[in-house]
Amino acid sequence: MEHLPFYIKLVFILTTFFTLFLLYKAANHSKAVLTIILSWLALQTVISLTGFYTITNVMPPRFALLVLPPLLLLLAVFISSKGKQFINRLDVKTLTILHIVRIPVEITLYWLFLQKTVPEIMTFEGKNLDILCGITAPIIYYFGYIKKTLSPKIILIWNIVCLISLGNIVTTAILSAPLPFQQFAFEQPNIALLYFPFVWLPSCVVPIVLFSHLAAIKRLLN
C-alpha cells in the first residue's frame, strides 16, 4: 500500500478523527468514550502495521478481530443498564449530523478503486449509494432538529433506510475481501481494508456510524 498517494491516507485519517470527535460531542464530551476509542485505534494501528490482517487464508479469518470486538461492545451498551443510560444522554442531533462523514469515506473508497485496491462495486460508481446518506444528513439535521419541520417518523424512516444502506456496503466489502468465503470482485478484491489506516473503517468508523443509527432509532421509538 506504499504506492498510494499520501492524500488518500491523510483524508481518511482526518475523517476517522472527525467521526470520533462528533461521537465525543454527542456523548457530552465523555472521556471514557474518547479513551476507549483512541486506545482501540492505537491497538489496531500496531496490529495492522505488522501485516497481521494481510494473511487471509486462515480460519477463523483474522479480519474478525477488526469487527467483532466493536460489535460485542455495542451489544453490551444496548443490553446493560448503564449502557441504556448512556444512550438516553446522547445528543441525537449530533448523532444525525455525524453521518456527513460518509461523504469523505465514499470519496476515499472511490480513490482506492482508482488505485486498484478496492472493487468498483464498493464505490458510488458501483452498487454503493451510501454517499446519499451523507449528503442528506445535513438536510435531516436542519429541518428535523433546527427548524423542526420534519416529523420524528420521517427521521426514523431516514435512519432505517440509511441503516439498510450501511448493511449493504458492509456485506459487499466483506464478501469482496480475499477471505475464504469471498463471493465478489475476484478480479479486484477488497485489499485496502487490510492495511493501515484503512483498517480503521471496519474497526472504528463503521461501528460508530452503526451505533449512531441504532441509538437514534432507539431514542425515536421511545
Side-chain angles (χ1 to χ4, degrees):
M1 298 295 286
E2 293 80 7
H3 69 282
L4 290 179
F6 177 71
Y7 70 84
I8 300 179
K9 297 180 181 180
L10 178 62
V11 168
F12 182 71
I13 289 172
L14 292 176
T15 299
T16 301
F17 283 109
F18 184 53
T19 306
L20 173 55
F21 167 75
L22 290 176
L23 178 63
Y24 173 67
K25 182 179 179 182
N28 301 301
H29 304 94
S30 168
K31 292 182 179 179
V33 168
L34 192 62
T35 300
I36 291 171
I37 298 181
L38 285 176
S39 299
W40 178 243
L41 287 175
L43 176 62
Q44 290 301 335
T45 298
V46 172
I47 294 174
S48 62
L49 288 175
T50 67
F52 178 82
Y53 294 116
T54 62
I55 299 175
T56 58
N57 59 347
V58 295
M59 288 294 287
R62 295 184 174 187
F63 191 82
L65 185 58
L66 288 170
V67 297
L68 287 184
L71 291 179
L72 292 175
L73 178 59
L74 291 188
L75 179 62
V77 170
F78 276 90
I79 66 176
S80 66
S81 57
K82 288 187 177 180
K84 293 176 182 177
Q85 293 172 10
F86 170 73
I87 291 172
N88 290 334
R89 293 193 299 267
L90 290 170
D91 180 9
V92 182
K93 298 191 301 295
T94 306
L95 290 181
T96 301
I97 198 65
L98 180 147
H99 296 285
I100 62 173
V101 303
R102 289 155 94 153
I103 298 174
V105 165
E106 296 306 320
I107 292 174
T108 298
L109 287 176
Y110 180 70
W111 286 339
L112 290 173
F113 159 64
L114 296 179
Q115 297 295 321
K116 302 184 184 305
T117 56
V118 303
E120 184 180 28
I121 194 175
M122 285 178 57
T123 74
F124 46 72
E125 285 204 344
K127 295 184 179 181
N128 178 12
L129 301 178
D130 203 60
I131 194 170
L132 297 177
C133 300
I135 293 172
T136 54
I139 299 172
I140 299 297
Y141 171 83
Y142 181 74
F143 289 104
Y145 294 103
I146 304 302
K147 288 294 186 178
K148 298 183 178 179
T149 55
L150 290 181
S151 69
K153 183 178 181 180
I154 296 298
I155 301 174
L156 176 62
I157 292 172
W158 177 81
N159 273 281
I160 293 173
V161 170
C162 290
L163 183 60
I164 294 172
S165 174
L166 179 67
N168 173 64
I169 179 55
V170 168
T171 301
T172 300
I174 292 175
L175 295 181
S176 298
L179 302 173
F181 45 79
Q182 182 179 0
Q183 298 294 317
F184 309 130
F186 291 97
E187 71 287 350
Q188 177 50 69
N190 168 24
I191 62 172
L193 272 57
L194 306 176
Y195 294 85
F196 174 81
F198 308 107
V199 291
W200 288 355
L201 182 58
S203 66
C204 181
V205 176
V206 167
I208 289 177
V209 170
L210 173 63
F211 173 74
S212 298
H213 277 314
L214 294 177
I217 290 171
K218 183 178 185 300
R219 292 281 297 275
L220 289 163
L221 290 175
N222 290 340

